[in-house]
Amino acid sequence: MGFKSLLASLLLISAASAQLSGRVGPTSSLSSKQSTICNVLDYGGSIGSSDIGPAINSAFTNCVLKHSGSTLYVPAGNYNMKTWVTLNGGTKWAFRLDGLITRAATTGGNMIAIENANDFEFYSANSAGGIQGLGYQCRNAGPRLIRMVTSTNWSVHDLILVDSPEFHLVIQQGSNGEVYNMAIRGANLGGSDGVDVWGSNHWIHDVEVTNRDECVTVKSPSNNILVERIWCNQSGGSAIGSLSDGTAIQDVLYRNIYTNGGNQAFMIKSNLGSGYVRNVLFQNFISRGTAYGLNINQYWSSQTPGSGAGVQLSNITFQNWDGNVVDGVQRPPIQLICADGAPCYDITLSNVNMWSQTDKAVVKCESAYGSGVSCIKSGSTHTSYAVVTQSITRPAGYSTPTTMSGDLSTGFATNAAIPTPTIPTSFFPGLPQISPLAKNL
């Protein structure tokens, strides 16, 4: 094996190791958290309540915090909520949400925020509980639905989140978290993020997202993030970013990502800034009918420029991609636009077969160094260069991307209620979910 081949192999191995650094999820069993059931119906709540928020807060304060090994329980049924709750602290506890909570106020913030929890599980035992945000009534002017804040050893699963006025699920810092078996339905417009995650050692898997913004997106600072078996179903698509000054992201693995329609198969987005993104592997991507395909854009015009010369991207590998964009001349299936002040390097495309539904396409590169696409430059000296645009032919390895039962043909209207879905049992063509639905256990 030649030196260049050996080096490429070592880089790929390094990228492939970019995933979890240890175990994730609660450290004790769910059954061990059922010694005390803190039922909201015993703390002032009622099925059909006009505001279940105070009962949730009371059950947490007067029961969960006083009994380690307890479960805060919202039984099946419909509830309105006007008072948002921040549940701070607690060790070895669970939040069982079997009912459907509907937003009934326009206050900003987070409908349910979990802060500083340890050994915690937020779930629906019937795989039908969740939150209906009715975002069409206060678009981009109301609360986010769920926010996990600086918590450790936790999981969120088997929940349905619908039409948030803002973002649906935010993972803010913390460590050792797991999110899985989720269905998220947002409207066909920006500001409707599905899952935003940053922190250390988090695993996001088996999630379906419909919206027109972030599907599952990693933000800074982050390390050891694993995202897999994601179904971006008429979604804006997954991304890393937006990135600006002081970015610190490393050891990230996205694999088995399926995107049906939307903005992009994947995007790394920034506008100048500083810091780094390194040691990232994007493996086994299928996409169809997206606007952009594989898209690095470090001059993203929708973002205010940072003060630095650019976020440094390095040791980033794209492996085993099959997909198409709507118009490959108007928007390239592969675009690597890196910062002139911080050229990206060790960008490797391996078995990446991206094409266009029009059977015509170009690729674009700027200040990008690596291999696997005709417009990229090689070499150990990384200096800036102007945009290179090249016409390409259909890749020999390209095949018409497969579909999934349940693929949507369009997104959801912004001015009408979005129906509550069921959680699917597969999120990537040909692969089952990693963990069964809670209702099937």
Side-chain angles (χ1 to χ4, degrees):
M1 179 183 290
F3 175 76
K4 288 185 178 180
S5 297
L6 176 60
L7 180 60
S9 296
L10 290 174
L11 289 174
L12 186 59
I13 291 171
S14 175
S17 66
Q19 48 182 300
L20 300 177
S21 60
R23 67 171 310 282
V24 298
T27 53
S28 64
S29 67
L30 184 58
S31 61
S32 71
K33 299 179 177 69
Q34 297 175 352
S35 58
T36 302
I37 303 300
C38 306
N39 190 326
V40 294
L41 303 186
D42 297 326
Y43 290 87
S46 61
I47 294 175
S49 169
S50 62
D51 185 9
I52 197 63
I56 292 175
N57 191 65
S58 179
F60 178 73
T61 302
N62 297 307
C63 185
V64 170
L65 291 182
K66 295 180 179 180
H67 301 90
S68 179
S70 60
T71 292
L72 195 163
Y73 178 39
V74 179
N78 294 312
Y79 308 82
N80 284 345
M81 187 171 180
K82 298 177 181 177
T83 304
W84 311 156
V85 296
T86 297
L87 310 181
N88 191 348
T91 298
K92 192 179 179 183
W93 70 285
F95 188 150
R96 176 178 168 182
L97 174 56
D98 285 353
L100 183 68
I101 295 173
T102 297
R103 179 198 57 78
T106 58
T107 312
N110 307 282
M111 288 183 66
I112 298 176
I114 308 294
E115 295 187 358
N116 304 310
N118 183 29
D119 187 13
F120 168 71
E121 191 157 352
F122 192 172
Y123 75 108
S124 170
N126 59 9
S127 304
I131 302 176
Q132 167 60 264
L134 296 179
Y136 74 97
Q137 296 176 344
C138 56
R139 189 65 64 200
N140 293 328
R144 293 161 174 79
L145 301 189
I146 296 176
R147 193 178 195 102
M148 292 292 306
V149 183
T150 54
S151 294
T152 305
N153 305 317
W154 55 268
S155 65
V156 174
H157 64 93
D158 287 86
L159 295 175
I160 300 168
L161 305 180
V162 183
D163 198 15
S164 177
E166 297 279 354
F167 306 159
H168 290 80
L169 174 61
V170 177
I171 312 303
Q172 180 181 334
Q173 300 177 313
S175 61
N176 308 336
E178 182 179 9
V179 175
Y180 62 98
N181 291 350
M182 302 277 291
I184 297 174
R185 286 276 198 267
N188 192 35
L189 84 169
S192 56
D193 297 18
V195 180
D196 291 334
V197 56
W198 64 100
S200 177
N201 200 47
H202 293 315
W203 185 19
I204 317 294
H205 62 94
D206 298 299
V207 176
E208 181 192 8
V209 177
T210 301
N211 58 2
R212 195 57 59 175
D213 211 314
E214 316 291 1
C215 182
V216 178
T217 289
V218 172
K219 296 183 177 293
S220 177
S222 287
N223 65 275
N224 299 100
I225 306 293
L226 173 57
V227 181
E228 62 180 324
R229 304 194 192 194
I230 303 299
W231 185 2
C232 303
N233 192 4
Q234 291 297 333
S235 165
S238 293
I240 290 179
S242 303
L243 309 174
S244 190
D245 297 315
T247 293
I249 296 177
Q250 66 180 8
D251 302 329
V252 175
L253 171 57
Y254 275 81
R255 66 185 174 200
N256 300 323
I257 309 298
Y258 175 68
T259 303
N260 167 50
N263 297 350
Q264 74 265 343
F266 198 90
M267 184 180 188
I268 300 176
K269 53 185 177 180
S270 63
N271 193 345
L272 300 180
S274 62
Y276 60 84
V277 176
R278 62 195 181 201
N279 305 336
V280 183
L281 173 60
F282 302 98
Q283 185 181 63
N284 304 336
F285 274 58
I286 298 174
S287 61
R288 47 193 299 273
T290 57
Y292 287 94
L294 190 169
N295 185 17
I296 294 177
N297 189 344
Q298 293 198 269
Y299 292 100
W300 190 47
S301 61
S302 295
Q303 180 181 352
T304 301
S307 61
V311 177
Q312 181 71 76
L313 310 182
S314 65
N315 193 21
I316 297 177
T317 298
F318 304 88
Q319 182 186 59
N320 302 335
W321 284 47
D322 185 57
N324 59 48
V325 298
V326 173
D327 186 331
V329 174
Q330 184 180 34
R331 295 184 176 92
I334 299 174
Q335 174 173 273
L336 310 176
I337 304 299
C338 296
D340 292 335
C344 54
Y345 62 92
D346 294 340
I347 309 299
T348 303
L349 281 67
S350 174
N351 193 34
V352 173
N353 301 294
M354 299 294 292
W355 189 230
S356 171
Q357 293 180 349
T358 62
D359 283 328
K360 294 180 180 180
V362 300
V363 293
K364 290 185 178 181
C365 297
E366 176 180 351
S367 300
Y369 288 83
S371 62
V373 61
S374 61
C375 61
I376 201 168
K377 291 190 176 183
S378 60
S380 58
T381 301
H382 310 132
T383 57
S384 64
Y385 62 86
V387 175
V388 174
T389 302
Q390 296 181 347
S391 297
I392 60 170
T393 58
R394 175 175 170 148
Y398 170 80
S399 60
T400 302
T402 188
T403 62
M404 288 187 67
S405 175
D407 277 346
L408 298 171
S409 58
T410 60
F412 290 98
T414 63
N415 58 355
I418 296 175
T420 302
T422 57
I423 301 173
T425 56
S426 177
F427 300 81
F428 185 84
L431 293 181
Q433 62 196 146
I434 293 171
S435 301
L437 295 179
K439 68 179 183 180
N440 296 328
L441 292 175

